PDB file of all heavy atoms in Angstrom:
ATOM      1  N   LEU M 104     -28.783   1.945 -18.310  1.00  0.00           N
ATOM      2  CA  LEU M 104     -27.950   2.862 -17.551  1.00  0.00           C
ATOM      3  C   LEU M 104     -28.841   3.819 -16.774  1.00  0.00           C
ATOM      4  O   LEU M 104     -29.854   4.290 -17.289  1.00  0.00           O
ATOM      5  CB  LEU M 104     -27.032   3.668 -18.475  1.00  0.00           C
ATOM      6  CG  LEU M 104     -26.209   2.894 -19.509  1.00  0.00           C
ATOM      7  CD1 LEU M 104     -25.256   3.848 -20.226  1.00  0.00           C
ATOM      8  CD2 LEU M 104     -25.456   1.739 -18.870  1.00  0.00           C
ATOM      9  N   ILE M 105     -28.456   4.117 -15.544  1.00  0.00           N
ATOM     10  CA  ILE M 105     -29.190   5.052 -14.700  1.00  0.00           C
ATOM     11  C   ILE M 105     -28.331   6.305 -14.489  1.00  0.00           C
ATOM     12  O   ILE M 105     -27.159   6.208 -14.128  1.00  0.00           O
ATOM     13  CB  ILE M 105     -29.551   4.433 -13.343  1.00  0.00           C
ATOM     14  CG1 ILE M 105     -30.423   3.185 -13.561  1.00  0.00           C
ATOM     15  CG2 ILE M 105     -30.267   5.448 -12.465  1.00  0.00           C
ATOM     16  CD1 ILE M 105     -31.751   3.455 -14.239  1.00  0.00           C
ATOM     17  N   GLU M 106     -28.940   7.466 -14.690  1.00  0.00           N
ATOM     18  CA  GLU M 106     -28.229   8.743 -14.585  1.00  0.00           C
ATOM     19  C   GLU M 106     -28.354   9.328 -13.179  1.00  0.00           C
ATOM     20  O   GLU M 106     -29.447   9.363 -12.595  1.00  0.00           O
ATOM     21  CB  GLU M 106     -28.791   9.737 -15.603  1.00  0.00           C
ATOM     22  CG  GLU M 106     -28.144  11.106 -15.535  1.00  0.00           C
ATOM     23  CD  GLU M 106     -28.742  12.087 -16.520  1.00  0.00           C
ATOM     24  OE1 GLU M 106     -29.239  11.654 -17.582  1.00  0.00           O
ATOM     25  OE2 GLU M 106     -28.711  13.294 -16.223  1.00  0.00           O
ATOM     26  N   ASN M 107     -27.223   9.806 -12.647  1.00  0.00           N
ATOM     27  CA  ASN M 107     -27.236  10.520 -11.366  1.00  0.00           C
ATOM     28  C   ASN M 107     -28.025  11.817 -11.501  1.00  0.00           C
ATOM     29  O   ASN M 107     -27.994  12.471 -12.548  1.00  0.00           O
ATOM     30  CB  ASN M 107     -25.812  10.823 -10.904  1.00  0.00           C
ATOM     31  CG  ASN M 107     -25.022  11.604 -11.948  1.00  0.00           C
ATOM     32  OD1 ASN M 107     -24.751  11.095 -13.035  1.00  0.00           O
ATOM     33  ND2 ASN M 107     -24.653  12.836 -11.633  1.00  0.00           N
ATOM     34  N   PRO M 108     -28.746  12.226 -10.467  1.00  0.00           N
ATOM     35  CA  PRO M 108     -29.645  13.380 -10.589  1.00  0.00           C
ATOM     36  C   PRO M 108     -28.947  14.717 -10.338  1.00  0.00           C
ATOM     37  O   PRO M 108     -27.846  14.781  -9.770  1.00  0.00           O
ATOM     38  CB  PRO M 108     -30.680  13.119  -9.489  1.00  0.00           C
ATOM     39  CG  PRO M 108     -29.886  12.435  -8.415  1.00  0.00           C
ATOM     40  CD  PRO M 108     -28.898  11.552  -9.160  1.00  0.00           C
ATOM     41  N   SER M 109     -29.598  15.789 -10.774  1.00  0.00           N
ATOM     42  CA  SER M 109     -29.262  17.136 -10.315  1.00  0.00           C
ATOM     43  C   SER M 109     -30.301  17.514  -9.262  1.00  0.00           C
ATOM     44  O   SER M 109     -31.499  17.326  -9.478  1.00  0.00           O
ATOM     45  CB  SER M 109     -29.275  18.139 -11.474  1.00  0.00           C
ATOM     46  OG  SER M 109     -30.532  18.135 -12.129  1.00  0.00           O
ATOM     47  N   THR M 110     -29.855  18.013  -8.101  1.00  0.00           N
ATOM     48  CA  THR M 110     -30.780  18.273  -6.995  1.00  0.00           C
ATOM     49  C   THR M 110     -30.573  19.676  -6.416  1.00  0.00           C
ATOM     50  O   THR M 110     -29.488  20.255  -6.519  1.00  0.00           O
ATOM     51  CB  THR M 110     -30.611  17.234  -5.864  1.00  0.00           C
ATOM     52  OG1 THR M 110     -29.251  17.256  -5.400  1.00  0.00           O
ATOM     53  CG2 THR M 110     -30.947  15.840  -6.371  1.00  0.00           C
ATOM     54  N   TYR M 111     -31.640  20.169  -5.801  1.00  0.00           N
ATOM     55  CA  TYR M 111     -31.647  21.535  -5.277  1.00  0.00           C
ATOM     56  C   TYR M 111     -31.999  21.573  -3.789  1.00  0.00           C
ATOM     57  O   TYR M 111     -31.918  22.608  -3.159  1.00  0.00           O
ATOM     58  CB  TYR M 111     -32.641  22.383  -6.080  1.00  0.00           C
ATOM     59  CG  TYR M 111     -32.405  22.225  -7.564  1.00  0.00           C
ATOM     60  CD1 TYR M 111     -33.141  21.290  -8.313  1.00  0.00           C
ATOM     61  CD2 TYR M 111     -31.405  22.928  -8.208  1.00  0.00           C
ATOM     62  CE1 TYR M 111     -32.898  21.102  -9.664  1.00  0.00           C
ATOM     63  CE2 TYR M 111     -31.153  22.755  -9.566  1.00  0.00           C
ATOM     64  CZ  TYR M 111     -31.899  21.845 -10.277  1.00  0.00           C
ATOM     65  OH  TYR M 111     -31.641  21.650 -11.611  1.00  0.00           O
ATOM     66  N   PHE M 112     -32.408  20.438  -3.250  1.00  0.00           N
ATOM     67  CA  PHE M 112     -32.671  20.301  -1.820  1.00  0.00           C
ATOM     68  C   PHE M 112     -32.435  18.850  -1.448  1.00  0.00           C
ATOM     69  O   PHE M 112     -32.306  17.978  -2.316  1.00  0.00           O
ATOM     70  CB  PHE M 112     -34.105  20.727  -1.456  1.00  0.00           C
ATOM     71  CG  PHE M 112     -35.177  19.893  -2.111  1.00  0.00           C
ATOM     72  CD1 PHE M 112     -35.632  18.720  -1.512  1.00  0.00           C
ATOM     73  CD2 PHE M 112     -35.747  20.281  -3.317  1.00  0.00           C
ATOM     74  CE1 PHE M 112     -36.610  17.946  -2.108  1.00  0.00           C
ATOM     75  CE2 PHE M 112     -36.730  19.509  -3.925  1.00  0.00           C
ATOM     76  CZ  PHE M 112     -37.162  18.346  -3.313  1.00  0.00           C
ATOM     77  N   GLU M 113     -32.399  18.565  -0.155  1.00  0.00           N
ATOM     78  CA  GLU M 113     -32.191  17.207   0.328  1.00  0.00           C
ATOM     79  C   GLU M 113     -33.295  16.843   1.324  1.00  0.00           C
ATOM     80  O   GLU M 113     -33.844  17.713   1.998  1.00  0.00           O
ATOM     81  CB  GLU M 113     -30.815  17.080   0.982  1.00  0.00           C
ATOM     82  CG  GLU M 113     -29.670  17.306  -0.003  1.00  0.00           C
ATOM     83  CD  GLU M 113     -28.313  17.280   0.671  1.00  0.00           C
ATOM     84  OE1 GLU M 113     -28.056  18.137   1.536  1.00  0.00           O
ATOM     85  OE2 GLU M 113     -27.503  16.398   0.325  1.00  0.00           O
ATOM     86  N   PHE M 114     -33.605  15.547   1.397  1.00  0.00           N
ATOM     87  CA  PHE M 114     -34.661  15.070   2.285  1.00  0.00           C
ATOM     88  C   PHE M 114     -34.100  14.785   3.679  1.00  0.00           C
ATOM     89  O   PHE M 114     -33.048  14.137   3.815  1.00  0.00           O
ATOM     90  CB  PHE M 114     -35.277  13.785   1.737  1.00  0.00           C
ATOM     91  CG  PHE M 114     -36.084  13.973   0.486  1.00  0.00           C
ATOM     92  CD1 PHE M 114     -35.494  13.836  -0.760  1.00  0.00           C
ATOM     93  CD2 PHE M 114     -37.437  14.288   0.555  1.00  0.00           C
ATOM     94  CE1 PHE M 114     -36.231  13.997  -1.925  1.00  0.00           C
ATOM     95  CE2 PHE M 114     -38.187  14.452  -0.601  1.00  0.00           C
ATOM     96  CZ  PHE M 114     -37.583  14.315  -1.848  1.00  0.00           C
ATOM     97  N   ASN M 115     -34.815  15.235   4.709  1.00  0.00           N
ATOM     98  CA  ASN M 115     -34.413  14.906   6.077  1.00  0.00           C
ATOM     99  C   ASN M 115     -34.483  13.406   6.341  1.00  0.00           C
ATOM    100  O   ASN M 115     -33.774  12.885   7.204  1.00  0.00           O
ATOM    101  CB  ASN M 115     -35.304  15.642   7.082  1.00  0.00           C
ATOM    102  CG  ASN M 115     -35.051  17.144   7.094  1.00  0.00           C
ATOM    103  OD1 ASN M 115     -33.940  17.599   6.825  1.00  0.00           O
ATOM    104  ND2 ASN M 115     -36.084  17.915   7.406  1.00  0.00           N
ATOM    105  N   SER M 116     -35.320  12.712   5.571  1.00  0.00           N
ATOM    106  CA  SER M 116     -35.509  11.282   5.788  1.00  0.00           C
ATOM    107  C   SER M 116     -34.385  10.423   5.194  1.00  0.00           C
ATOM    108  O   SER M 116     -34.318   9.221   5.464  1.00  0.00           O
ATOM    109  CB  SER M 116     -36.849  10.829   5.202  1.00  0.00           C
ATOM    110  OG  SER M 116     -36.898  11.103   3.811  1.00  0.00           O
ATOM    111  N   SER M 117     -33.526  11.015   4.356  1.00  0.00           N
ATOM    112  CA  SER M 117     -32.456  10.234   3.723  1.00  0.00           C
ATOM    113  C   SER M 117     -31.557   9.608   4.775  1.00  0.00           C
ATOM    114  O   SER M 117     -31.117  10.273   5.710  1.00  0.00           O
ATOM    115  CB  SER M 117     -31.639  11.114   2.784  1.00  0.00           C
ATOM    116  OG  SER M 117     -32.382  11.466   1.637  1.00  0.00           O
ATOM    117  N   ALA M 118     -31.284   8.305   4.587  1.00  0.00           N
ATOM    118  CA  ALA M 118     -30.479   7.565   5.558  1.00  0.00           C
ATOM    119  C   ALA M 118     -29.115   7.176   5.004  1.00  0.00           C
ATOM    120  O   ALA M 118     -28.332   6.522   5.697  1.00  0.00           O
ATOM    121  CB  ALA M 118     -31.228   6.311   6.002  1.00  0.00           C
ATOM    122  N   MET M 119     -28.837   7.545   3.759  1.00  0.00           N
ATOM    123  CA  MET M 119     -27.538   7.234   3.150  1.00  0.00           C
ATOM    124  C   MET M 119     -27.192   8.333   2.160  1.00  0.00           C
ATOM    125  O   MET M 119     -28.052   9.120   1.749  1.00  0.00           O
ATOM    126  CB  MET M 119     -27.565   5.865   2.480  1.00  0.00           C
ATOM    127  CG  MET M 119     -28.536   5.722   1.340  1.00  0.00           C
ATOM    128  SD  MET M 119     -28.663   4.011   0.700  1.00  0.00           S
ATOM    129  CE  MET M 119     -29.944   3.357   1.794  1.00  0.00           C
ATOM    130  N   SER M 120     -25.932   8.388   1.769  1.00  0.00           N
ATOM    131  CA  SER M 120     -25.501   9.382   0.792  1.00  0.00           C
ATOM    132  C   SER M 120     -25.981   8.989  -0.602  1.00  0.00           C
ATOM    133  O   SER M 120     -26.353   7.831  -0.853  1.00  0.00           O
ATOM    134  CB  SER M 120     -23.978   9.503   0.801  1.00  0.00           C
ATOM    135  OG  SER M 120     -23.387   8.319   0.274  1.00  0.00           O
ATOM    136  N   GLU M 121     -25.968   9.954  -1.511  1.00  0.00           N
ATOM    137  CA  GLU M 121     -26.367   9.671  -2.885  1.00  0.00           C
ATOM    138  C   GLU M 121     -25.466   8.626  -3.526  1.00  0.00           C
ATOM    139  O   GLU M 121     -25.946   7.704  -4.202  1.00  0.00           O
ATOM    140  CB  GLU M 121     -26.340  10.957  -3.708  1.00  0.00           C
ATOM    141  CG  GLU M 121     -26.755  10.774  -5.163  1.00  0.00           C
ATOM    142  CD  GLU M 121     -26.899  12.095  -5.883  1.00  0.00           C
ATOM    143  OE1 GLU M 121     -27.825  12.856  -5.515  1.00  0.00           O
ATOM    144  OE2 GLU M 121     -26.090  12.382  -6.792  1.00  0.00           O
ATOM    145  N   THR M 122     -24.164   8.742  -3.304  1.00  0.00           N
ATOM    146  CA  THR M 122     -23.237   7.784  -3.920  1.00  0.00           C
ATOM    147  C   THR M 122     -23.410   6.382  -3.334  1.00  0.00           C
ATOM    148  O   THR M 122     -23.313   5.393  -4.061  1.00  0.00           O
ATOM    149  CB  THR M 122     -21.790   8.259  -3.758  1.00  0.00           C
ATOM    150  OG1 THR M 122     -21.531   8.576  -2.387  1.00  0.00           O
ATOM    151  CG2 THR M 122     -21.517   9.486  -4.618  1.00  0.00           C
ATOM    152  N   ASP M 123     -23.691   6.270  -2.045  1.00  0.00           N
ATOM    153  CA  ASP M 123     -23.950   4.951  -1.455  1.00  0.00           C
ATOM    154  C   ASP M 123     -25.253   4.363  -1.997  1.00  0.00           C
ATOM    155  O   ASP M 123     -25.348   3.150  -2.252  1.00  0.00           O
ATOM    156  CB  ASP M 123     -24.031   5.046   0.074  1.00  0.00           C
ATOM    157  CG  ASP M 123     -22.669   5.229   0.725  1.00  0.00           C
ATOM    158  OD1 ASP M 123     -21.651   4.999   0.038  1.00  0.00           O
ATOM    159  OD2 ASP M 123     -22.621   5.604   1.911  1.00  0.00           O
ATOM    160  N   PHE M 124     -26.258   5.216  -2.162  1.00  0.00           N
ATOM    161  CA  PHE M 124     -27.551   4.787  -2.702  1.00  0.00           C
ATOM    162  C   PHE M 124     -27.367   4.238  -4.116  1.00  0.00           C
ATOM    163  O   PHE M 124     -27.873   3.161  -4.460  1.00  0.00           O
ATOM    164  CB  PHE M 124     -28.499   5.991  -2.701  1.00  0.00           C
ATOM    165  CG  PHE M 124     -29.924   5.688  -3.077  1.00  0.00           C
ATOM    166  CD1 PHE M 124     -30.849   5.311  -2.125  1.00  0.00           C
ATOM    167  CD2 PHE M 124     -30.345   5.818  -4.396  1.00  0.00           C
ATOM    168  CE1 PHE M 124     -32.176   5.048  -2.466  1.00  0.00           C
ATOM    169  CE2 PHE M 124     -31.660   5.566  -4.751  1.00  0.00           C
ATOM    170  CZ  PHE M 124     -32.579   5.180  -3.782  1.00  0.00           C
ATOM    171  N   ILE M 125     -26.620   4.964  -4.948  1.00  0.00           N
ATOM    172  CA  ILE M 125     -26.385   4.545  -6.326  1.00  0.00           C
ATOM    173  C   ILE M 125     -25.531   3.281  -6.365  1.00  0.00           C
ATOM    174  O   ILE M 125     -25.776   2.373  -7.172  1.00  0.00           O
ATOM    175  CB  ILE M 125     -25.739   5.693  -7.126  1.00  0.00           C
ATOM    176  CG1 ILE M 125     -26.737   6.850  -7.267  1.00  0.00           C
ATOM    177  CG2 ILE M 125     -25.282   5.213  -8.498  1.00  0.00           C
ATOM    178  CD1 ILE M 125     -26.166   8.097  -7.902  1.00  0.00           C
ATOM    179  N   SER M 126     -24.543   3.197  -5.512  1.00  0.00           N
ATOM    180  CA  SER M 126     -23.698   2.002  -5.456  1.00  0.00           C
ATOM    181  C   SER M 126     -24.524   0.766  -5.127  1.00  0.00           C
ATOM    182  O   SER M 126     -24.339  -0.313  -5.716  1.00  0.00           O
ATOM    183  CB  SER M 126     -22.593   2.175  -4.408  1.00  0.00           C
ATOM    184  OG  SER M 126     -21.700   3.210  -4.767  1.00  0.00           O
ATOM    185  N   GLU M 127     -25.441   0.902  -4.192  1.00  0.00           N
ATOM    186  CA  GLU M 127     -26.284  -0.230  -3.808  1.00  0.00           C
ATOM    187  C   GLU M 127     -27.242  -0.598  -4.935  1.00  0.00           C
ATOM    188  O   GLU M 127     -27.526  -1.784  -5.156  1.00  0.00           O
ATOM    189  CB  GLU M 127     -27.054   0.112  -2.532  1.00  0.00           C
ATOM    190  CG  GLU M 127     -27.688  -1.074  -1.839  1.00  0.00           C
ATOM    191  CD  GLU M 127     -26.674  -2.107  -1.349  1.00  0.00           C
ATOM    192  OE1 GLU M 127     -25.511  -1.731  -1.090  1.00  0.00           O
ATOM    193  OE2 GLU M 127     -27.059  -3.290  -1.243  1.00  0.00           O
ATOM    194  N   LEU M 128     -27.734   0.400  -5.679  1.00  0.00           N
ATOM    195  CA  LEU M 128     -28.596   0.142  -6.838  1.00  0.00           C
ATOM    196  C   LEU M 128     -27.860  -0.712  -7.871  1.00  0.00           C
ATOM    197  O   LEU M 128     -28.405  -1.686  -8.396  1.00  0.00           O
ATOM    198  CB  LEU M 128     -29.031   1.471  -7.462  1.00  0.00           C
ATOM    199  CG  LEU M 128     -29.783   1.380  -8.791  1.00  0.00           C
ATOM    200  CD1 LEU M 128     -31.135   0.713  -8.604  1.00  0.00           C
ATOM    201  CD2 LEU M 128     -29.941   2.772  -9.406  1.00  0.00           C
ATOM    202  N   VAL M 129     -26.615  -0.360  -8.157  1.00  0.00           N
ATOM    203  CA  VAL M 129     -25.806  -1.125  -9.114  1.00  0.00           C
ATOM    204  C   VAL M 129     -25.600  -2.547  -8.621  1.00  0.00           C
ATOM    205  O   VAL M 129     -25.738  -3.521  -9.376  1.00  0.00           O
ATOM    206  CB  VAL M 129     -24.455  -0.427  -9.347  1.00  0.00           C
ATOM    207  CG1 VAL M 129     -23.513  -1.315 -10.149  1.00  0.00           C
ATOM    208  CG2 VAL M 129     -24.653   0.913 -10.039  1.00  0.00           C
ATOM    209  N   LYS M 130     -25.276  -2.674  -7.342  1.00  0.00           N
ATOM    210  CA  LYS M 130     -25.002  -3.988  -6.756  1.00  0.00           C
ATOM    211  C   LYS M 130     -26.218  -4.892  -6.839  1.00  0.00           C
ATOM    212  O   LYS M 130     -26.101  -6.094  -7.154  1.00  0.00           O
ATOM    213  CB  LYS M 130     -24.560  -3.816  -5.306  1.00  0.00           C
ATOM    214  CG  LYS M 130     -24.273  -5.105  -4.568  1.00  0.00           C
ATOM    215  CD  LYS M 130     -23.867  -4.819  -3.125  1.00  0.00           C
ATOM    216  CE  LYS M 130     -23.650  -6.099  -2.331  1.00  0.00           C
ATOM    217  NZ  LYS M 130     -23.283  -5.818  -0.911  1.00  0.00           N
ATOM    218  N   ARG M 131     -27.402  -4.355  -6.573  1.00  0.00           N
ATOM    219  CA  ARG M 131     -28.607  -5.190  -6.497  1.00  0.00           C
ATOM    220  C   ARG M 131     -29.218  -5.509  -7.862  1.00  0.00           C
ATOM    221  O   ARG M 131     -29.897  -6.537  -8.002  1.00  0.00           O
ATOM    222  CB  ARG M 131     -29.660  -4.507  -5.615  1.00  0.00           C
ATOM    223  CG  ARG M 131     -29.244  -4.338  -4.176  1.00  0.00           C
ATOM    224  CD  ARG M 131     -30.399  -3.813  -3.329  1.00  0.00           C
ATOM    225  NE  ARG M 131     -29.960  -3.418  -1.991  1.00  0.00           N
ATOM    226  CZ  ARG M 131     -30.775  -3.019  -1.026  1.00  0.00           C
ATOM    227  NH1 ARG M 131     -32.085  -2.964  -1.250  1.00  0.00           N
ATOM    228  NH2 ARG M 131     -30.294  -2.660   0.161  1.00  0.00           N
ATOM    229  N   THR M 132     -29.032  -4.632  -8.850  1.00  0.00           N
ATOM    230  CA  THR M 132     -29.730  -4.803 -10.129  1.00  0.00           C
ATOM    231  C   THR M 132     -28.806  -5.144 -11.291  1.00  0.00           C
ATOM    232  O   THR M 132     -29.279  -5.631 -12.323  1.00  0.00           O
ATOM    233  CB  THR M 132     -30.504  -3.524 -10.516  1.00  0.00           C
ATOM    234  OG1 THR M 132     -29.560  -2.476 -10.794  1.00  0.00           O
ATOM    235  CG2 THR M 132     -31.446  -3.096  -9.406  1.00  0.00           C
ATOM    236  N   GLY M 133     -27.507  -4.874 -11.167  1.00  0.00           N
ATOM    237  CA  GLY M 133     -26.606  -5.078 -12.294  1.00  0.00           C
ATOM    238  C   GLY M 133     -26.729  -4.015 -13.365  1.00  0.00           C
ATOM    239  O   GLY M 133     -26.194  -4.170 -14.467  1.00  0.00           O
ATOM    240  N   CYS M 134     -27.435  -2.912 -13.085  1.00  0.00           N
ATOM    241  CA  CYS M 134     -27.540  -1.832 -14.059  1.00  0.00           C
ATOM    242  C   CYS M 134     -26.188  -1.148 -14.232  1.00  0.00           C
ATOM    243  O   CYS M 134     -25.297  -1.260 -13.383  1.00  0.00           O
ATOM    244  CB  CYS M 134     -28.591  -0.805 -13.639  1.00  0.00           C
ATOM    245  SG  CYS M 134     -28.120   0.220 -12.209  1.00  0.00           S
ATOM    246  N   GLY M 135     -26.011  -0.457 -15.345  1.00  0.00           N
ATOM    247  CA  GLY M 135     -24.864   0.408 -15.529  1.00  0.00           C
ATOM    248  C   GLY M 135     -25.233   1.829 -15.133  1.00  0.00           C
ATOM    249  O   GLY M 135     -26.372   2.105 -14.744  1.00  0.00           O
ATOM    250  N   LEU M 136     -24.265   2.736 -15.254  1.00  0.00           N
ATOM    251  CA  LEU M 136     -24.499   4.122 -14.873  1.00  0.00           C
ATOM    252  C   LEU M 136     -24.156   5.077 -16.008  1.00  0.00           C
ATOM    253  O   LEU M 136     -23.214   4.854 -16.771  1.00  0.00           O
ATOM    254  CB  LEU M 136     -23.664   4.496 -13.643  1.00  0.00           C
ATOM    255  CG  LEU M 136     -23.995   3.744 -12.357  1.00  0.00           C
ATOM    256  CD1 LEU M 136     -23.030   4.155 -11.254  1.00  0.00           C
ATOM    257  CD2 LEU M 136     -25.442   3.975 -11.926  1.00  0.00           C
ATOM    258  N   LEU M 137     -24.958   6.116 -16.104  1.00  0.00           N
ATOM    259  CA  LEU M 137     -24.675   7.251 -16.967  1.00  0.00           C
ATOM    260  C   LEU M 137     -24.245   8.377 -16.035  1.00  0.00           C
ATOM    261  O   LEU M 137     -25.058   8.882 -15.256  1.00  0.00           O
ATOM    262  CB  LEU M 137     -25.914   7.640 -17.769  1.00  0.00           C
ATOM    263  CG  LEU M 137     -25.744   8.616 -18.938  1.00  0.00           C
ATOM    264  CD1 LEU M 137     -27.020   8.649 -19.777  1.00  0.00           C
ATOM    265  CD2 LEU M 137     -25.405  10.024 -18.491  1.00  0.00           C
ATOM    266  N   LEU M 138     -22.981   8.750 -16.098  1.00  0.00           N
ATOM    267  CA  LEU M 138     -22.458   9.807 -15.228  1.00  0.00           C
ATOM    268  C   LEU M 138     -22.667  11.154 -15.905  1.00  0.00           C
ATOM    269  O   LEU M 138     -22.002  11.471 -16.891  1.00  0.00           O
ATOM    270  CB  LEU M 138     -20.979   9.580 -14.935  1.00  0.00           C
ATOM    271  CG  LEU M 138     -20.276  10.695 -14.142  1.00  0.00           C
ATOM    272  CD1 LEU M 138     -20.895  10.870 -12.761  1.00  0.00           C
ATOM    273  CD2 LEU M 138     -18.780  10.423 -14.043  1.00  0.00           C
ATOM    274  N   ASP M 139     -23.601  11.942 -15.402  1.00  0.00           N
ATOM    275  CA  ASP M 139     -23.800  13.298 -15.895  1.00  0.00           C
ATOM    276  C   ASP M 139     -22.910  14.225 -15.082  1.00  0.00           C
ATOM    277  O   ASP M 139     -23.199  14.515 -13.920  1.00  0.00           O
ATOM    278  CB  ASP M 139     -25.267  13.706 -15.783  1.00  0.00           C
ATOM    279  CG  ASP M 139     -25.561  15.004 -16.523  1.00  0.00           C
ATOM    280  OD1 ASP M 139     -24.829  15.987 -16.299  1.00  0.00           O
ATOM    281  OD2 ASP M 139     -26.510  15.037 -17.322  1.00  0.00           O
TER     282      ASP M 139
END
């Protein structure tokens, strides 16, 4: 299971939202999620 992060700033280089990034991680690896 992969846990969603707690963050205090965002990167200008980010090209997708956090939820889209996590969704794609699940799709590609089959991992589960730990929702904090």
